[in-house]
Amino acid sequence: MGGGIRLPVKARAVHFMAPRRVELREVELPRPSEGDILVATEWSGISSGTELLAYRGEVDPGLPLDETLGALAGTFAYPFRYGYSAVGRVVHPAGPLREGQLVFAFHPHQDRFIVDAHQAVPIDGLDPRAATLYPLVETALQVCLDAAPRLRETAVVVGLGAVGILVAALLARAGAVVLGSEPEPARRAAAEAFGVRAMAPYEVAEAVAAGTGSRGADLVVEASGNPQALASSLALLAHEGTALVCSWYGTKPASLPLGGAFHRRRLALRSSQVSTLPAALTARWDRGRRAEVAWELVRELPLSVLATHEFPFERAADAYAWADRKQDGLVHAALRYR
């Protein structure tokens, strides 16, 4: 970044100020080091998981934003910046990246930012809006790796937001017989576009019984973000079935029926988390392999079905409000900067 080029020293970023209140504020750009690039953001995606918990104020303020991503330093104490899905063009290149190249980076919502060139992923030929869904694809891939479904086992995915739909689609690719449970008709329709058999929650128990000879589901993946959905889902499981929780509930309490039926049926309750890989997989899988597969999936999957809403960067507050209410069939929202 030498050569006498004068770089901008300020940018605008989304700041979480209080529960359900975000603002655009100026920030100082750090002085670039050797190997850093400057990116002009074109799109950034809003996650309906952790990010909406942060928007609602349902995260412990002392919790680190993310200990694995350098761009997310600090805690969830207000005010803070958040977000981890930025797509933009390289304005000042470094390393292997050229000027004008389209890249993805894990970075908060900000109209321009500086990042190490090796932490930006070139995504030539990809739809930049679809590329904002990459973190959700990576999360869904990790859920599928954690679930490790066997051929023709029955899996129920509870909650068909973007992550739930992707999880269901990947479990089906891995050979499971998948049922999706979702109260919102628009989300059921989006899941059907991925080949997922989706139904209203009140229909699921009967469908599981009919499909398994009343044995029950081998696996339930809880992706709704609702602790009550997890509690009611345990009844869907077969003897020694597993409930895999990919939702993060934040500060919301989860009350579960862990009485006689839970123990006598030897049910298992497990978590899934994208920031780490389980020890059992690390001989064969690492973050590099997972990222490579996730980017292949980004190119293969019909992600445009999930990319339902976009908002100008200046209307970030509206974007979060709509995502919070799942307004107008919203599945995934992104901010548009150009």
Side-chain angles (χ1 to χ4, degrees):
M1 291 228 180
I5 298 175
R6 182 176 177 83
L7 297 181
V9 295
K10 292 184 181 296
R12 290 183 303 159
V14 173
H15 285 70
F16 291 69
M17 305 302 298
R20 290 184 166 85
R21 184 162 70 88
V22 298
E23 294 179 2
L24 295 186
R25 290 190 164 191
E26 270 196 350
V27 295
E28 297 280 343
L29 288 175
R31 185 176 181 83
S33 302
E34 186 72 24
D36 285 348
I37 60 171
L38 174 66
V39 177
T41 314
E42 293 189 356
W43 295 90
S44 62
I46 295 175
S47 159
S48 59
T50 305
E51 192 163 353
L52 280 188
L53 288 179
Y55 172 70
R56 297 170 185 142
E58 294 177 347
V59 182
D60 178 354
L63 192 70
L65 293 175
D66 194 309
E67 294 164 314
T68 66
L69 299 177
L72 290 177
T75 70
F76 285 95
Y78 295 112
F80 59 88
R81 285 178 284 167
Y82 198 67
Y84 45 80
S85 181
V87 174
R89 300 276 175 185
V90 176
V91 176
H92 292 290
L97 301 177
R98 65 182 184 275
E99 185 175 350
Q101 193 163 17
L102 190 67
V103 297
F104 169 90
F106 290 103
H107 199 281
H109 306 284
Q110 192 167 303
D111 61 0
R112 51 194 175 191
F113 59 90
I114 288 171
V115 66
D116 186 291
H118 295 289
Q119 294 178 358
V121 180
I123 53 173
D124 304 294
L126 266 179
D127 172 10
R129 169 65 178 96
T132 64
L133 283 145
Y134 166 77
L136 308 188
V137 174
E138 186 181 37
T139 296
L141 173 58
Q142 184 59 57
V143 173
C144 195
L145 290 171
D146 288 334
R150 295 178 178 87
L151 185 66
R152 304 302 294 172
E153 286 190 335
T154 298
V156 178
V157 178
V158 179
L160 296 175
V163 170
I165 291 172
L166 291 166
V167 167
L170 296 187
L171 289 173
R173 283 189 171 208
V177 177
V178 181
L179 303 175
S181 173
E182 170 57 50
E184 299 287 337
R187 295 188 169 198
R188 293 199 298 269
E192 296 279 0
F194 278 75
V196 176
R197 183 185 173 194
M199 58 196 69
Y202 68 86
E203 301 173 299
V204 175
E206 183 177 343
V208 169
T212 66
S214 298
R215 182 181 61 251
D218 303 280
L219 170 72
V220 165
V221 177
E222 202 297 291
S224 72
N226 180 2
Q228 293 178 351
L230 173 61
S232 60
S233 297
L234 296 179
L236 299 173
L237 287 168
H239 186 81
E240 295 197 18
T242 297
L244 184 66
V245 184
C246 72
S247 293
W248 187 33
Y249 303 132
T251 56
K252 295 195 293 287
S255 178
L256 300 177
L258 303 182
F262 178 82
H263 287 275
R264 289 180 178 179
R265 289 161 56 211
R266 290 184 171 270
L267 302 183
L269 184 63
R270 296 173 48 214
S271 64
S272 179
Q273 171 59 34
V274 71
S275 62
T276 58
L277 285 99
L281 289 178
T282 53
R284 293 169 290 114
W285 284 83
D286 57 19
R287 295 176 73 91
R289 181 183 180 185
R290 188 180 67 184
E292 181 180 351
V293 173
W295 280 115
E296 290 173 0
L297 291 169
V298 169
R299 295 180 183 276
E300 295 171 13
L301 295 169
L303 296 182
S304 60
V305 174
L306 305 180
T308 55
H309 289 68
E310 60 185 61
F311 297 81
F313 178 52
E314 290 74 16
R315 289 183 55 205
D318 291 337
Y320 282 98
W322 279 50
D324 187 27
R325 297 191 297 264
K326 303 178 187 177
Q327 190 168 332
D328 192 29
L330 187 149
V331 178
H332 182 262
L335 301 180
R336 185 183 69 247
Y337 293 73
R338 298 286 182 269

